[in-house]
Amino acid sequence: MIPPLFRYERAGSVEQALSLLAEHGDEAKVLAGGHSLLPMMKLRLANPAVLVDIGRIADLRQIRLDGDQVVIGALCTHAQIASSAVIGEHLPLLARAAGMIGDPQVRHRGTIGGSLVHADPKADHPLAALASGATIVVQGSQARREIPSDEFFLGYFTTAVEPDELLVEVRFPSAAGLGWGYEKLVARSNDWAVVGVATVGGRIALAAMGDRPLRARGAEEALAAGLGIQAAADRAAEDTEPNVDISGDVEYRSHIARVLTRRALAAATGSG
Ligand code: FAD
């Protein structure tokens, strides 16, 4: 499969990338790891006239601590995140999520920024970011915005990032010492979630249960009210619109969401 013709521009800095995006407007797309964008182009689901390659901007590859936050650059790969000592200590849920993405090739090319902007409701980083209460930082030519993960995902493959903006970093509150759980049912190894559940610090998020990653608010309420893990898990599929495809229908995915929520909460509370 051959993608449609496009013009290739390599940005050497964030400023250069922003100026190329401003110049080409809706015609341009950012290229990071290319592991979602290029398949979309080959399938003719995306047809950008210009690709702005940000892959060599070293500033976007850093992982660092800033007070009680872990700051992860947009170009950090899934493999880098899965093996980082800082993330292992402060964000073990994210390390687990990143380590479960695809195969080694995908994990060494794909980036957290690309995964978040691609916004597949079955994907791992969006699920982990929402469960963790992360903040997504985007830079435009005029302003920098900090977007809470609860407001970042707007629908299928749609986020709050504007065409002339670059996702530059993601800020996660440290979860060192907190109980957490990450459960992902897959139909085949190296695959996206049939259903995914992530929980840390009383937040519970679901993958493949709607047009975007969702909070399981009913389950969170039950947990906060002290009703116990099973009562919380029983409410996991409330107010969801599960994806329907060859891997499962509404009833099946709702059942799996309840099962995985119970498992994730049991892991988080050490009662599993
Ligand atoms: P790209 O493909 O380069 O870009 C994706 C989108 O984000 C494009 O629209 C691009 O313009 C935009 N973009 C990228 N970076 C930025 C930025 N900094 N600012 C603004 N816009 C940006 N994902 C999972 O979650 N779980 C899986 O199990 C899984 N399995 C996979 C298996 C295979 C075989 C493949 C090919 C992919 C799989 N993926 C999976 C997807 C993978 O994680 C991708 O790497 C990821 O979705 C996109 O990251 P990328 O860096 O490759 O982004």
Side-chain angles (χ1 to χ4, degrees), residues 29-30 32-37 78 102 110-111 114 123-124 167 184 191-192:
K29 276 240 170 228
V30 173
H35 270 56
S36 291
L37 181 55
H78 314 326
T111 66
D124 290 277
L167 190 162
K184 175 182 175 184
D191 214 349
W192 287 262

Side-chain angles (χ1 to χ4, degrees), residues 111-130:
T111 66
I112 187 169
S115 178
L116 292 174
V117 177
H118 186 57
D120 185 335
K122 297 178 183 174
D124 290 277
H125 276 312
L127 174 65
L130 184 63

Side-chain angles (χ1 to χ4, degrees), residues 9 21 35 40 45 59 76 96 125 156 174-175 198 224 230 249:
E9 299 273 8
L21 291 176
H35 270 56
M40 299 272 285
L45 294 171
D59 293 353
C76 291
R96 171 72 60 83
H125 276 312
Y156 277 112
S174 170
Q230 186 61 57
D249 58 15

Side-chain angles (χ1 to χ4, degrees), residues 32 62 68 93 117 124 131 144 169-170 176 184 212 214 224 228 260:
Q62 315 294 325
D68 59 357
L93 183 158
V117 177
D124 290 277
R144 193 174 170 94
E169 64 187 32
V170 193
K184 175 182 175 184
R212 66 198 85 178
L214 296 177
L260 297 188

Side-chain angles (χ1 to χ4, degrees), residues 21 138-139 145 147 159-166:
L21 291 176
V138 299
Q139 179 77 52
R145 299 194 291 142
I147 309 170
T159 71
V161 181
E162 298 292 342
D164 62 347
E165 288 178 324
L166 205 59

